[in-house]
């Protein structure tokens, strides 16, 4: 006889739990769940802040951020950035990195001193690379 048939033939039993024990178990589950949620930091991505030199390569083209102590980091063409007065800009090209030369439209600012926040991005192929997420112009 199969295990499934044996289990089907067992009589069903009723289990009772005292109300106090049920409330205590529920309270414990809520406390443990709350602690786990706080410790996981869901949606919170910490950036590595660094100072260094940044350059954009051309109109609509990404560039590079080279921290004083660390690997070169990819700098997207448009990112959130803060100007020297503290105003936050969402998108667009950081003014301290871009000075379009009217003769050919190319960038003439090379290696502007900035502060950047970057993080490591993981790809499906189990590789990762650093990517600038925010920039502050002097």
């Amino acid at each position: 006889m199969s295990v499934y048939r044996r289990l089907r033939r067992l009589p069903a039993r009723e289990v009772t739990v005292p109300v106090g024990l049920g409330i205590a178990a529920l309270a414990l589950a809520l406390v443990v769940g709350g602690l786990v949620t706080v410790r996981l930091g869901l949606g919170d991505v910490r950036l590595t802040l660094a100072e260094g030199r940044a350059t954009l390569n051309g109109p609509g083209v990404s560039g590079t951020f080279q921290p004083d102590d660390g690997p070169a980091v990819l700098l997207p063409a448009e990112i959130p950035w803060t100007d020297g007065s503290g105003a936050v800009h969402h998108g667009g090209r950081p003014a301290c990195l871009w000075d379009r030369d009217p003769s050919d439209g190319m960038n003439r600012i090379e290696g502007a001193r900035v502060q950047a926040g970057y993080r490591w991005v993981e790809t499906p192929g189990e590789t990762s690379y650093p990517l600038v997420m925010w920039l502050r112009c002097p």
Side-chain angles (χ1 to χ4, degrees):
M1 184 181 292
S2 71
V3 173
Y4 175 72
R5 287 185 183 173
R6 284 184 196 168
L7 290 176
R8 271 186 52 194
R9 290 184 179 188
L10 288 177
R13 295 184 186 173
E14 190 174 304
V15 177
T16 58
V17 177
V19 174
L21 183 60
I23 291 173
L26 180 61
L28 179 64
L30 289 173
V31 169
V32 169
L35 289 174
V36 168
T37 302
V38 168
R39 294 308 236 168
L40 284 178
L42 298 175
D44 189 16
V45 176
R46 304 245 181 237
L47 298 180
T48 301
L49 294 179
E51 292 188 13
R53 300 207 170 271
T55 304
L56 290 173
N57 299 326
V61 180
S62 62
T64 309
F65 170 67
Q66 180 61 59
D68 293 338
D69 56 351
V73 182
L74 177 65
L75 176 62
E78 295 192 15
I79 59 169
W81 59 283
T82 305
D83 62 24
S85 67
V88 177
H89 304 269
H90 297 283
R93 300 175 75 76
C96 61
L97 299 184
W98 190 250
D99 183 24
R100 187 176 292 210
D101 185 338
S103 65
D104 60 5
M106 294 303 291
N107 187 6
R108 296 294 177 233
I109 296 178
E110 292 194 21
R113 192 92 182 130
V114 297
Q115 181 183 30
Y118 67 92
R119 67 176 293 246
W120 286 85
V121 177
E122 294 181 19
T123 64
E126 297 182 15
T127 61
S128 62
Y129 63 93
L131 178 66
V132 172
M133 308 300 285
W134 167 84
L135 189 108
R136 174 181 287 149
C137 289

